[in-house]
Amino acid sequence: MATETRDERDEPEAKDEGKGKGRKKSPSRRTSPALFVRQVIAELRKVIWPTRRELITYTTAALVFVLVMVAIVSGFDYGLQKGVYAVFG
């Protein structure tokens, strides 16, 4: 399972954290596309990605769950259809 933790030294310290507590950013100020991409890449580096084995396990579990739910809903649908045909049919 993905239970790995990171050291504090792996995490860059947040700048301006706790400074200017009451100060708000101007709503007209926008982030440039280059800064946005850099921020996205920085956040993706923080993600602990699953191993191939974990990914296969999670995918298999999700597909089995979906197939079971499809079977249950199809069974209810078939039963209701037969009931409606018996009553009104």
Side-chain angles (χ1 to χ4, degrees), residues 13-43:
E13 289 190 26
K15 295 179 183 173
D16 298 332
E17 208 173 67
K19 294 181 183 176
K21 200 170 192 177
R23 197 170 54 184
K24 293 182 180 178
K25 284 188 177 180
S26 171
S28 63
R29 199 168 156 198
R30 297 186 64 150
T31 302
S32 70
L35 177 60
F36 175 75
V37 170
R38 284 196 305 269
Q39 289 174 343
V40 168
I41 291 170
E43 288 299 319

Side-chain angles (χ1 to χ4, degrees), residues 21-68:
K21 200 170 192 177
R23 197 170 54 184
K24 293 182 180 178
K25 284 188 177 180
S26 171
S28 63
R29 199 168 156 198
R30 297 186 64 150
T31 302
S32 70
L35 177 60
F36 175 75
V37 170
R38 284 196 305 269
Q39 289 174 343
V40 168
I41 291 170
E43 288 299 319
L44 287 174
R45 285 192 180 129
K46 295 178 188 178
V47 173
I48 298 173
W49 297 97
T51 63
R52 180 178 296 272
R53 183 181 198 133
E54 290 172 338
L55 186 63
I56 290 170
T57 301
Y58 299 154
T59 303
T60 303
L63 289 175
V64 167
F65 176 77
V66 167
L67 290 174
V68 168

